[in-house]
Amino acid sequence: MEDHPKWMHRAMDLAREAFKNKEVPVGCILVYKDQELAQGRNEVNETKNATRHAEIVAIEKVLKWCDENNKNSDEIFENITLYVTVEPCIMCAAALRQMKIPLVVYGCANDRFGGCKSILPVASDELPTLGPKLVCISGLLAEEAVNILKEFYKGENLNAPEDKRKIKPN
């Protein structure tokens, strides 16, 4: 699809917004019938809630939109494409399967927590109770996604536990 770069650039804008808000810079867009239906960016540090990953934030927005517009969420999710700057983690890959999102386009691999193939192939494992397998396309704007992650991890995460911080308190 020729629109993949357009949507991934939009997801990168959200990753930059997350970065400015001292969040791990991940952004995503959920596209339905060539329209941006929802967006998300990491909100973990802001909310002090470890489940507030970009994908979960966007899923919740689609559910709210479906409720407000009297739409069948199953039908909507089965026709959505997710664009996300970093490979979904294991938790998010499982959530995407449960929502029956058919296509995930992502930038760079997630070598620590990846749920599409880097750590666990949650997206493609034979797990029928989890939902249909995800089709994943990787590598779109990967270098840009990696660079913003590197920039983020150069700094100090003040929300990290003290023993995990780069600069240890005295």
Side-chain angles (χ1 to χ4, degrees):
M1 177 189 271
E2 60 278 348
D3 285 342
H4 288 335
K6 169 182 131 178
W7 296 117
M8 189 59 83
H9 281 290
R10 177 75 182 104
M12 283 304 307
D13 289 342
L14 292 161
R16 285 187 281 278
E17 185 180 313
F19 180 85
K20 288 177 189 170
N21 284 281
K22 298 180 175 41
E23 294 286 349
V24 175
V26 177
C28 75
I29 302 292
L30 287 170
V31 176
Y32 173 74
K33 293 187 176 181
D34 207 35
Q35 297 291 321
E36 180 180 322
L37 190 57
Q39 61 176 312
R41 65 166 181 79
N42 279 3
E43 299 176 355
V44 172
N45 293 333
E46 293 169 75
T47 62
K48 307 280 191 247
N49 180 338
T51 68
R52 303 301 293 161
H53 291 197
E55 300 93 330
I56 303 300
V57 170
I59 286 170
E60 288 177 358
K61 289 178 180 178
V62 171
L63 289 169
K64 182 178 179 185
W65 180 88
C66 288
D67 189 48
E68 291 171 349
N69 292 281
N70 201 26
K71 299 285 185 185
N72 179 324
S73 62
D74 290 341
E75 183 181 307
I76 300 298
F77 278 110
E78 289 171 1
N79 292 287
I80 275 182
T81 298
L82 169 74
Y83 294 89
V84 62
T85 57
V86 178
E87 174 186 1
C89 71
I90 295 163
M91 173 186 73
C92 290
L96 297 170
R97 279 189 70 172
Q98 286 187 329
M99 300 313 293
K100 299 182 175 92
I101 294 174
L103 178 60
V104 175
V105 179
Y106 65 89
C108 65
N110 182 341
D111 295 332
R112 294 185 68 200
F113 308 108
C116 291
K117 66 179 180 180
S118 294
I119 300 299
L120 284 176
V122 173
S124 59
D125 267 353
E126 291 296 331
L127 302 166
T129 57
L130 192 55
K133 295 178 183 181
L134 300 172
V135 173
C136 296
I137 299 171
S138 63
L140 193 58
L141 299 184
E143 187 176 338
E144 190 173 343
V146 166
N147 288 341
I148 195 170
L149 287 168
K150 285 179 180 177
E151 189 65 28
F152 175 80
Y153 284 112
K154 282 181 188 175
E156 178 71 22
N157 181 355
L158 300 176
N159 294 298
E162 289 185 11
D163 63 329
K164 301 289 184 189
R165 290 188 188 170
K166 292 177 184 174
I167 302 169
K168 308 281 189 250
N170 292 335

